[in-house]
């Protein structure tokens, strides 16, 4: 990586390093030299994503004062990290975090499991549930009844069917954010929406600030679009965004776009509160950054709680916030219907650009979603989805706690994912070995920028009951193989130090 894109202050880094002291140390009991302990601590923070990749570290003298150690200790630690590939330096530019060269992100984990593997493999890679019947069938039947008038047209609706745009606008208005149909564009899933936004606002080489960790498929989409990703570490546990870090990144890196998941964040499950939403919108407005808020998980409240207002409530005209929604998580991944809410001029620009992309979203699927939204079908289906995800979450949490007591996680109150710290084991190795023992799980680095989060895996709420029990048993078997070294090395992986 050529240069740093964010910075970590000496006081902040000292706090992060101090927080590690309460955690169990791996390996033997011999106390390492001070410089080695400091290097290991910084490396672990990078691997966990608590310090982003490409973050400028404090100067040696500054960090030495903050940690009450000698400058020689810090210099030796930095030199060790450079030798291991976790730090890069350039005269006049300072030193910034990195990961060793030649270590690509793991290639497996989030793609759908091939049909021929069903039955022999428990798939924890894809966070998607089966369709909530009978509502899929009823929605398609309702769509077929509404189809004949549209069949007499050309069938191309670049902005979406007027009826569906009106229904979606009405839903935002009911949530306390007055919205006109002209502020809505229907897309082919949330991925299609974000792809269109990135092409409109962030050309090749533009900076996009992203949560760290973040949704793996969106990160890959942005990489392939040529964006320069600027990671912003999440707050600890389920506390959501760290606004101080966001303000600093928006001010210093001046990204063109910022992408966030406010509701039951994927993968951590964190729920941003209203103060965080207001604060981030204000910071983005001040920095001139367009804030893209992904609401894909917003319907999946699994516990009894009052949801915060949507982020666009703090920017009702849509000048700063672009909201993306989808039917894929709340209803069914096979229903490839997404949408964008933004200012009318932004919607017009997105629609105009669409002429060179996919022209429009399938009419029949739009009619099916419109049928759901304008009847009791959507709420009935979402209630069914919540109940299923809640049962699966509780079963998976109990099974993992029983079979893998050393793994750490916070139980989210909604969403579809559990973000798990694996007790010092390499998530990449667990993913590799897991497939050999019959469980497919995505490793943590898939959700970070440039290989962070090696000590994590993501577990979705897609299995329950006896299958959740068996999944945890297989994960425990994979963990034992990795721990003993019997699982073999992962191609291109780097050693993980707990």
């Amino acid at each position: 990586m050529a240069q740093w894109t964010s910075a970590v202050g000496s006081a902040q880094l000292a706090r992060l390093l101090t927080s590690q002291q309460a955690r169990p140390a791996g390996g033997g009991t011999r106390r390492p030299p001070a410089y080695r302990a400091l290097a290991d601590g910084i490396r672990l923070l990078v691997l966990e994503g608590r310090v982003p990749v490409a973050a400028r570290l404090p100067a040696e003298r500054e960090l030495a004062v903050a940690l009450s150690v000698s400058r020689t200790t810090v210099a030796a630690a930095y030199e060790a990290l450079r030798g291991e590939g976790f730090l890069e330096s350039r005269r006049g530019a300072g030193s910034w975090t990195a990961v060793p060269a030649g270590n690509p992100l793991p290639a497996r984990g989030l793609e759908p499991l091939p049909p021929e593997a069903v039955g022999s493999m428990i798939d924890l890679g894809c966070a998607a549930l089966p369709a909530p019947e009978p509502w899929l069938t009823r929605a398609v039947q309702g769509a077929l009844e509404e189809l004949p008038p549209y069949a007499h047209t050309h069938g191309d609706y670049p902005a979406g069917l007027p009826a569906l745009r009106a229904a979606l606008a009405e839903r935002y208005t009911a949530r306390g954010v007055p919205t006109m149909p002209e502020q809505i564009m229907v897309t082919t899933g949330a991925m299609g929406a974000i792809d269109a936004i990135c092409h409109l606002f962030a050309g090749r080489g533009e900076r996009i600030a992203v949560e760290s960790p973040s949704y793996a498929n969106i990160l890959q989409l942005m990489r392939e679009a040529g964006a320069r990703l600027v990671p912003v570490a999440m707050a600890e546990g389920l506390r959501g965004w760290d606004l101080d870090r966001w303000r600093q990144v928006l001010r210093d890196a001046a990204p063109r776009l910022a992408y966030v998941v406010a509701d039951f964040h994927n993968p951590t499950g964190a729920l941003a509160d209203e103060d965080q939403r207001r604060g981030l919108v204000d910071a983005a407005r001040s920095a001139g950054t367009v804030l893209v808020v992904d609401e894909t998980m917003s319907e999946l409240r699994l516990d009894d709680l009052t949801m915060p207002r949507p982020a666009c409530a703090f920017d009702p005209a849509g000048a700063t916030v672009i909201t993306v929604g989808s039917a894929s998580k709340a209803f069914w991944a096979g229903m490839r219907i997404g949408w964008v809410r933004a200012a009318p001029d932004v919607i017009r620009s997105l629609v105009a650009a669409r002429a060179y992309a996919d022209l429009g979203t399938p009419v029949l699927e739009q009619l099916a979603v419109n049928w759901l939204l304008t009847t009791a079908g959507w709420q009935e289906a979402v209630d069914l989805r919540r109940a299923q995800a809640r049962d699966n979450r509780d079963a998976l949490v109990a099974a993992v706690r029983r079979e893998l007591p050393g793994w750490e996680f916070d139980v989210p109150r909604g969403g579809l994912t559990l973000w798990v710290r694996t007790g010092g084991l390499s998530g990449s190795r667990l993913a590799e070995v897991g497939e050999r023992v019959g469980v497919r799980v995505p490793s943590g680095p898939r959700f970070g920028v440039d290989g962070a989060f090696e000590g994590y895996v993501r577990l979705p709420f897609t299995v329950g009951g006896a299958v959740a029990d068996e999944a945890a048993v297989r994960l425990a078997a994979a963990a034992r193989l990795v721990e003993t070294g019997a699982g073999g090395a992962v191609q291109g992986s780097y050693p993980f130090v707990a």
Side-chain angles (χ1 to χ4, degrees):
M1 188 166 294
Q3 61 186 26
W4 57 274
T5 56
S6 61
V8 181
S10 57
Q12 178 189 359
L13 184 56
R15 287 195 301 271
L16 291 170
L17 290 165
T18 301
S19 71
Q20 293 179 333
Q21 296 176 2
R23 297 181 56 198
T29 58
R30 177 179 294 181
R31 185 179 182 87
Y35 85 90
R36 183 71 263 172
L38 176 56
D40 289 347
I42 294 174
R43 181 174 61 237
L44 181 56
L45 289 172
V46 173
L47 291 172
E48 289 186 334
R50 297 172 69 194
V51 168
V53 175
R56 187 179 187 273
L57 294 186
E60 294 170 3
R61 187 185 306 277
E62 185 181 350
L63 184 58
V65 171
L67 294 174
S68 298
V69 299
S70 70
R71 182 178 176 181
T72 302
T73 296
V74 177
Y78 279 13
E79 183 60 34
L81 290 168
R82 276 189 288 269
E84 295 160 3
F86 285 91
L87 197 69
E88 296 182 11
S89 303
R90 190 172 64 209
R91 185 178 298 276
S95 299
W96 57 92
T97 56
V99 292
N103 295 277
L105 295 174
R108 289 179 283 181
L110 298 190
E111 301 79 8
L113 186 68
E116 61 271 16
V118 175
S120 62
M121 183 80 68
I122 298 176
D123 186 11
L124 298 181
C126 190
L129 291 162
E133 289 287 31
W135 298 107
L136 174 61
T137 299
R138 293 182 183 177
V140 173
Q141 290 171 341
L144 287 171
E145 292 176 2
E146 299 291 332
L147 182 61
Y150 295 94
H152 295 293
T153 73
H154 49 63
D156 287 336
Y157 295 88
L161 294 183
L164 180 55
R165 296 175 74 193
L168 291 166
E170 187 176 324
R171 285 184 64 81
Y172 279 105
T173 299
R175 294 171 66 191
V177 189
T179 302
M180 304 178 295
E182 291 79 9
Q183 291 178 264
I184 301 291
M185 181 177 85
V186 180
T187 62
T188 307
M191 293 287 289
I194 294 169
D195 182 56
I197 293 165
C198 288
H199 278 89
L200 180 63
F201 285 95
R204 184 166 294 275
E206 292 274 10
R207 290 188 175 100
I208 301 179
V210 295
E211 297 153 322
S212 184
S214 186
Y215 178 39
N217 288 341
I218 294 296
L219 294 180
Q220 190 59 30
L221 181 156
M222 292 174 174
R223 291 188 190 98
E224 293 181 0
R228 298 173 60 191
L229 301 183
V230 182
V232 185
M234 296 284 286
E236 282 291 298
L238 298 176
R239 292 192 291 113
W241 303 321
D242 185 323
L243 283 182
D244 287 340
R245 293 181 184 177
W246 269 104
R247 292 187 184 102
Q248 181 179 9
V249 166
L250 293 175
R251 182 181 64 248
D252 295 347
R256 184 72 181 91
L257 285 179
Y259 168 78
V260 297
V261 182
D263 302 297
F264 310 120
H265 174 259
N266 185 356
T268 68
L271 176 66
D273 62 32
E274 285 206 4
D275 288 341
Q276 289 174 320
R277 296 171 195 233
R278 182 186 294 104
L280 187 54
V281 171
D282 289 345
R285 183 183 295 114
S286 297
T289 297
V290 175
L291 183 63
V292 181
V293 181
D294 188 338
E295 290 191 333
T296 301
M297 296 284 186
S298 63
E299 300 270 11
L300 293 174
R301 180 184 71 252
L302 304 185
D303 294 336
D304 185 17
L305 75 158
T306 300
M307 290 292 291
R309 285 179 291 171
C312 57
F314 305 101
D315 179 50
T320 296
V321 177
I322 298 179
T323 303
V324 172
S326 172
S328 65
K329 300 300 184 184
F331 188 72
W332 183 46
M335 189 69 76
R336 304 305 304 160
I337 298 294
W339 52 86
V340 177
R341 182 201 180 275
D345 62 316
V346 172
I347 295 298
R348 287 193 293 270
S349 296
L350 289 169
V351 171
R354 194 172 195 179
Y356 309 101
D358 63 356
L359 292 179
T361 304
V363 170
L364 187 62
E365 292 184 26
Q366 291 189 70
L367 288 172
V369 172
N370 186 61
W371 182 90
L372 288 165
L373 292 176
T374 55
T375 67
W378 180 267
Q379 193 57 53
E380 294 281 353
V382 168
D383 288 345
L384 183 61
R385 171 67 78 236
R386 287 173 178 163
Q388 185 179 13
R390 184 185 305 111
D391 290 345
N392 287 355
R393 177 197 64 181
D394 296 346
L396 185 65
V397 165
V400 172
R401 282 177 170 164
R402 181 177 63 251
E403 300 295 334
L404 293 150
W407 287 18
E408 304 171 40
F409 53 85
D410 294 290
V411 181
R413 305 188 70 184
L416 286 174
T417 56
L418 195 67
W419 186 236
V420 182
R421 183 183 284 135
T422 56
L425 299 180
S426 162
S428 296
R429 295 182 184 231
L430 284 166
E432 180 78 14
V433 176
E435 294 206 15
R436 302 185 208 167
V437 299
V439 61
R440 196 164 184 256
V441 59
S443 61
R446 291 297 305 272
F447 305 89
V449 175
D450 294 334
F453 303 107
E454 184 61 43
Y456 288 80
V457 294
R458 190 195 72 173
L459 305 180
F461 308 145
T462 52
V463 297
V467 180
D469 292 338
E470 179 61 22
V473 168
R474 295 184 188 186
L475 281 173
R480 286 193 294 272
L481 289 172
V482 171
E483 200 164 16
T484 61
V490 179
Q491 183 68 30
S493 67
Y494 46 82
F496 179 68
V497 179

